[in-house]
Amino acid sequence: MLAYRLLKNHAGLLLIGDYASLRELHEIVHDVNERSPLISEEDGPFLGLAYDARKAYERQREILQPPEGEEEIGVRYGVEILWPVLLVQQRMLRVSLGYLDHSRRHQAITYALEAVIEAGLREDFGAQGQTMVDQWLRLDPTPDIFEKLDSRGAMFCSWSKAERERRFASLLLSFDPLYEHYPVCPDGRRAPESVSSRELEQWSGVDWPDPCW
């Protein structure tokens, strides 16, 4: 079973699972990575989800002991993942399944991951939770989406907690190929919280700052 714990500053979540669940996620992501027509880079960022899951169940990230008196829960393992990274990875997983022969194993772990993400977004962003969920589900994982993630991830890491709360929905919206054609203010400018093309260009190819998670 997968679970989560929120990280600080709206940065993302600690993805938590037992050994079997994380091993299953690792195997399914590898399978999809090898067969999906949407993935052009064999050893690219999508496979990072499998890497994170493996590092967790190999006890190289966080190890969570069961609460005192509830030893039956067993030891679980966790790995920190930034919101924009996880949301793009998950959408690539979900949409790729539509192009592939797959089993209930694929669906089960994909739904489990989606349930964790949805609950995490709603808890982390409160009144804006539904907006974040809507923007996440709108992400269209075109083959170049991970190239777009490079600048958007760097920008996200540079933001304060307050900026992430205000601007994360706009950052997710900016993955849309038609984003530049969306309505702007009457004077031709976007709202202050919107992500501009100029900002994205400034963050392209830049090392990601410490996300303070």
Side-chain angles (χ1 to χ4, degrees):
M1 180 177 179
L2 298 179
Y4 73 92
R5 189 173 69 205
L6 294 178
L7 303 178
K8 297 183 299 182
N9 302 317
H10 299 308
L13 54 73
L14 181 75
L15 181 63
I16 300 169
D18 56 27
Y19 179 92
S21 297
L22 292 169
R23 183 68 181 266
E24 183 81 342
L25 178 61
H26 173 266
E27 292 178 358
I28 293 301
V29 170
H30 262 283
D31 178 55
V32 171
N33 185 72
E34 292 174 3
R35 298 192 292 131
S36 173
L38 301 177
I39 299 173
S40 57
E41 189 177 355
E42 185 174 331
D43 194 21
F46 175 68
L47 199 60
L49 181 56
Y51 174 84
D52 282 338
R54 178 173 62 83
K55 286 296 183 180
Y57 72 69
E58 288 181 345
R59 304 171 66 94
Q60 296 183 46
R61 295 296 183 262
E62 289 209 32
I63 301 174
L64 293 84
Q65 300 295 334
E68 187 174 351
E70 298 182 87
E71 286 74 16
E72 66 275 10
I73 292 176
V75 177
R76 296 177 299 162
Y77 311 98
V79 60
E80 298 173 333
I81 310 180
L82 292 167
W83 275 130
V85 175
L86 181 60
L87 300 191
V88 170
Q89 289 171 330
Q90 184 282 323
R91 287 298 294 158
M92 180 60 78
L93 173 60
R94 166 54 70 192
V95 176
S96 290
L97 291 182
Y99 293 87
L100 307 173
D101 290 332
H102 61 274
S103 68
R104 290 182 176 84
R105 289 179 60 230
H106 293 78
Q107 290 289 347
I109 198 65
T110 301
Y111 275 122
L113 183 60
E114 288 169 346
V116 162
I117 290 173
E118 181 172 2
L121 285 172
R122 292 184 186 280
E123 180 182 352
D124 203 11
F125 292 97
Q128 294 191 73
Q130 184 59 52
T131 298
M132 302 305 181
V133 170
D134 291 343
Q135 297 299 350
W136 155 51
L137 295 176
R138 286 181 55 141
L139 288 174
D140 181 14
T142 55
D144 66 344
I145 194 168
F146 288 108
E147 295 178 17
K148 294 180 178 180
L149 179 61
D150 176 58
S151 58
R152 288 154 180 82
M155 184 188 301
F156 179 84
C157 288
S158 75
W159 285 346
S160 66
K161 178 179 180 179
E163 286 175 310
R164 290 170 185 165
E165 186 171 9
R166 292 197 318 269
R167 306 189 72 194
F168 186 43
S170 179
L171 184 141
L172 292 177
L173 187 62
S174 74
F175 281 97
D176 192 316
L178 299 178
Y179 178 67
E180 287 304 311
H181 302 287
Y182 286 178
V184 295
C185 297
D187 61 1
R189 296 181 297 105
R190 292 187 177 275
E193 67 273 11
S194 296
V195 172
S196 70
S197 297
R198 179 175 297 179
E199 286 181 290
L200 293 173
E201 291 173 4
Q202 290 173 343
W203 286 104
S204 180
V206 175
D207 290 339
W208 292 16
D210 181 355
C212 299
W213 56 7

